[in-house]
Amino acid sequence: MIDSDNRKPILLVALGGNAMIKKGQEGTAVQQRDNLKVTVRQIARLSQTHRIIITHGNGPQVGNLLLQQECCDAVPKMPLEILVAQTQGQIGYMIESCLDSELMAQNLNASPLVSLISYVVVDEHDPAFKTPTKPIGPVYTKTQAEAASWPFHKTAKGYRRVTFSPKPVTIVEKHEIKQLIDMDFIVICCGGGGIPVIREGRAFSGIEAVIDKDLASARLAVEVGADLFVIATDVKGVATNFGQKNQKILRTLTLADARKHMRAGHFPEGSMKPKVEAAMQFVGIPGKRAVIAFLEEIEQAVAGKAGTEFVA
């Protein structure tokens, strides 16, 4: 293991599912690769000055796998934690191959890349298991949602299927991830928030749930000693009165103001609220930076010129 003292700072970038599938798209492999180019172009350049960890969402992809299963009875149906593992491999491969191509295209010094299947421990007694709240899969109309047999919630984008979303307790592979970034690997991990597992003695067992990827990313950022945590999404930053005429993007946000705005209901459940909670958790540690920013402005966010910067 290489000593990490006096080396490049650690940057964790959490990519939303919209980094790969934009609203209105079918989500073909070509579309997902094309959408990734904007993001990985920035990450390639940032890898010259930072040690990089990439996490990512999987809501559309895991939802599509569930739909595929429901449309076919010829093969056994897999539990949700297996589908999360499948999307980790699928999306990790796409990010890794696109990033490798971009490093070569820019003629940059290329760090080795690795995609890691990641487990995340949750508490089987978490109250989140009483009510499904985490959106997965595509957007439905109200009529489609009312006709379906699954639980749905109305989100800012429309009606989406929801499942249980317990809080992450710890990342099982945190020590391996830390060793890899200390060896200057670019690590892609915790896809879709990680595979949710519960402890059974000294072993782990998968559980039917999806972990919020931003909360899992914040947990990982703390556990590996990241310096900067950037949540990249499809808006310019955190806003009050989102979607209304008096919407206001907040350039900086103190922890006290974040709590106040959260109590006032400015951050919707299942969209901006977990992002704000994740940023608050990380920036509560002295000397840490957390930014929520637009996918196309990751570099500017790292430079302190874009997004919503959280201030303790």
Side-chain angles (χ1 to χ4, degrees), residues 33 38 66 76 87 92 113 129 162 164 167 170 172 249 259 263 265 268 282 292-293 310:
R33 286 179 181 277
V38 173
L66 282 166
T87 60
L113 306 170
F129 284 114
V162 289
F164 301 113
K167 301 291 186 186
T170 187
V172 174
I249 298 289
R259 295 186 189 99
R263 287 194 297 269
F282 185 70
I292 297 177
F310 284 72

Side-chain angles (χ1 to χ4, degrees), residues 228 251-252 289 291 297-307 309:
L228 171 59
R251 184 66 187 84
T252 59
R289 289 182 62 210
V291 187
E297 297 178 342
I298 296 172
E299 287 177 288
Q300 294 97 310
V302 170
K305 299 178 179 179
E309 179 114 15

Side-chain angles (χ1 to χ4, degrees), residues 63-288:
N64 287 344
L65 286 177
L66 282 166
L67 282 174
Q68 288 175 347
Q69 288 197 152
E70 286 151 8
C71 293
C72 177
D73 294 321
V75 295
K77 290 178 171 56
M78 295 292 109
L80 186 53
E81 77 267 17
I82 299 295
L83 301 186
V84 172
Q86 290 180 1
T87 60
Q88 285 191 356
Q90 167 193 336
I91 299 171
Y93 160 68
M94 286 188 173
I95 294 173
E96 187 172 335
S97 59
C98 288
L99 182 52
D100 191 37
S101 297
E102 191 58 43
L103 286 163
M104 288 189 289
Q106 295 190 40
N107 197 28
L108 296 173
N109 294 324
S111 297
L113 306 170
V114 64
S115 299
L116 194 66
I117 299 296
S118 314
Y119 301 172
V120 177
V121 177
V122 300
D123 182 355
E124 62 181 313
H125 302 296
D126 190 312
F129 284 114
K130 295 180 180 178
T131 307
T133 59
K134 180 64 179 173
I136 58 174
V139 175
Y140 293 84
T141 66
K142 183 179 180 181
T143 301
Q144 289 172 322
E146 288 175 344
S149 59
W150 320 302
F152 279 83
H153 278 186
K154 185 178 181 181
T155 71
K157 298 179 180 180
Y159 289 86
R160 296 185 69 192
R161 183 176 178 174
V162 289
T163 188
F164 301 113
S165 185
K167 301 291 186 186
V169 174
T170 187
I171 314 303
V172 174
E173 296 83 8
K174 56 185 175 290
H175 299 300
E176 291 85 350
I177 293 168
K178 183 64 167 67
Q179 288 183 346
L180 287 165
I181 58 174
D182 282 346
M183 290 161 44
D184 210 27
F185 276 78
I186 296 174
V187 182
I188 303 160
C189 59
C190 284
I195 302 166
V197 297
I198 58 172
R199 294 188 185 275
E200 292 186 344
R202 297 181 62 185
F204 297 107
S205 176
I207 194 164
E208 191 81 356
V210 169
I211 304 169
D212 182 86
K213 75 100 177 43
D214 296 307
L215 294 176
S217 298
R219 184 74 251 148
L220 175 63
V222 170
E223 292 184 330
V224 301
D227 302 285
L228 171 59
F229 177 33
V230 174
I231 299 174
T233 186
D234 58 354
V235 293
K236 292 282 187 176
V238 180
T240 53
N241 301 306
F242 179 75
Q244 302 176 36
K245 290 183 179 180
N246 59 341
Q247 173 181 308
K248 181 182 179 182
I249 298 289
L250 306 173
R251 184 66 187 84
T252 59
L253 187 57
T254 66
L255 295 183
D257 283 343
R259 295 186 189 99
K260 180 181 70 175
H261 294 322
M262 195 174 293
R263 287 194 297 269
H266 285 288
F267 309 140
E269 193 77 50
S271 57
M272 187 53 73
K273 184 178 178 181
K275 292 177 174 56
V276 171
E277 289 177 337
M280 291 171 66
Q281 288 177 22
F282 185 70
V283 84
I285 301 172
K288 305 296 185 180

